[in-house]
C-alpha cells in the first residue's frame, strides 16, 4: 500500500524534474525565501540564488530519469524524499548517475515547497 | 567557515559509521522508538526493527568510507545529512558506492538521534 507521504513525495519529484527538464527558470514557485540548496557541496539560500544557480548550469539539454525514490514523513508535516537516477546531459549517450535529497515543507495552501535540497553526482 | 550544524552532522556520521563498522549491535542508542529506516526501499520503524535489520545484513566485515558529507539545518532544530561514500565489504577489493540520508533530531540531553534514515547502494 502506498502511503500518502509517498504519493505526495513521488508526485512532487515527478513535477520538479518535468519543470527542470523543460525550462528550469520556471522552478521559482517550488522554492521559498528560506529554501536551501547544497549543489555539489556549494550552499545557496533562497529562491533567487537557488534558481540562478540552476539556470546557469552549463548544459543546454537535460533529462532526469528517476530510478529509485524513497519517501519518509518528517518533522512538522514535512516529507523527506531521496532520489537516485540517471541524468542525460545534452547529446551524450552516457547517462551520469545522480542522487538528490528533498525535504518538502507544507504551505498553508496545502501544497509543498522545497525547504532542503542537496544534489550530488555519483562519480567514480 | 564550518557552521555548527555541519560540525555536529559530520561528527555524528563519523561516530555512527565507527560504531557500525566495529559492532553494529551497539547502534541502539543512536535510534529511538519513532526512528524510521528505509533500506534499499524496505521500511523499518523503531530502534528494535532497525537494529535487527542492520545486524542481520549478511556480511562479516564492513568499512564505511565517507567521501562527501553535506549538511543543512532543518525543521525543529534537526540536521539533515547526506553522505556518499565507499563500502568495503568482507574481503572484496572492490568498494561498493553508497548514499545515505540521515535526519538528526535533538534530544533533551543535547545530543541527537537518527529520526530519518534512508540507505541505497549506487548500482550500475
Amino acid at each position: 500500500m502506498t502511503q500518502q507521504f509517498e504519493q505526495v513525495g513521488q508526485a512532487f519529484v515527478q513535477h520538479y524534474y518535468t519543470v527542470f527538464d523543460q525550462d528550469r527558470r520556471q522552478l521559482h514557485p517550488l522554492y521559498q525565501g528560506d529554501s536551501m540548496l547544497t549543489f555539489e557541496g556549494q550552499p545557496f539560500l533562497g529562491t533567487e540564488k537557488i534558481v540562478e544557480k540552476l539556470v546557469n548550469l552549463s548544459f543546454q539539454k537535460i533529462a532526469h530519469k528517476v530510478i529509485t525514490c524513497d519517501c519518509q514523513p518528517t518533522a512538522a508535516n514535512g516529507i523527506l524524499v531521496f532520489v537516485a537516477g540517471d541524468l542525460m546531459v545534452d547529446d551524450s549517450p552516457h547517462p551520469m548517475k545522480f542522487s538528490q535529497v528533498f525535504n518538502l515543507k507544507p504551505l498553508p495552501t496545502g501544497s509543498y515547497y522545497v525547504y532542503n535540497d542537496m544534489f550530488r553526482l555519483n562519480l567514480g
Side-chain angles (χ1 to χ4, degrees), chain A residues 80-101:
Chain A
L80 194 58
V81 188
F82 179 27
V83 178
D86 285 344
L87 267 184
M88 306 300 299
V89 179
D90 291 327
D91 294 315
S92 168
H94 304 294
M96 301 173 80
K97 296 277 168 196
F98 76 97
S99 301
Q100 191 160 11
V101 180

Side-chain angles (χ1 to χ4, degrees), chain A residues 23-56:
Chain A
D23 179 3
R24 54 197 192 274
R25 289 169 300 181
Q26 308 304 324
L27 289 170
H28 264 100
L30 304 184
Y31 292 98
Q32 297 275 318
D34 61 355
S35 298
M36 289 165 267
L37 166 67
T38 303
F39 188 92
E40 290 287 325
Q42 256 195 301
F44 301 88
L45 178 63
T47 312
E48 300 305 322
K49 290 220 166 61
I50 290 171
V51 176
E52 185 187 10
K53 171 65 185 175
L54 299 177
V55 167
N56 287 323

Side-chain angles (χ1 to χ4, degrees), chain A residues 54-81:
Chain A
L54 299 177
V55 167
N56 287 323
L57 293 171
S58 65
F59 43 77
Q60 298 304 311
K61 277 194 295 182
I62 187 93
H64 291 77
K65 186 183 161 200
V66 173
I67 294 177
T68 62
C69 178
D70 298 319
C71 301
Q72 289 184 356
T74 187
N77 297 315
I79 302 172
L80 194 58
V81 188

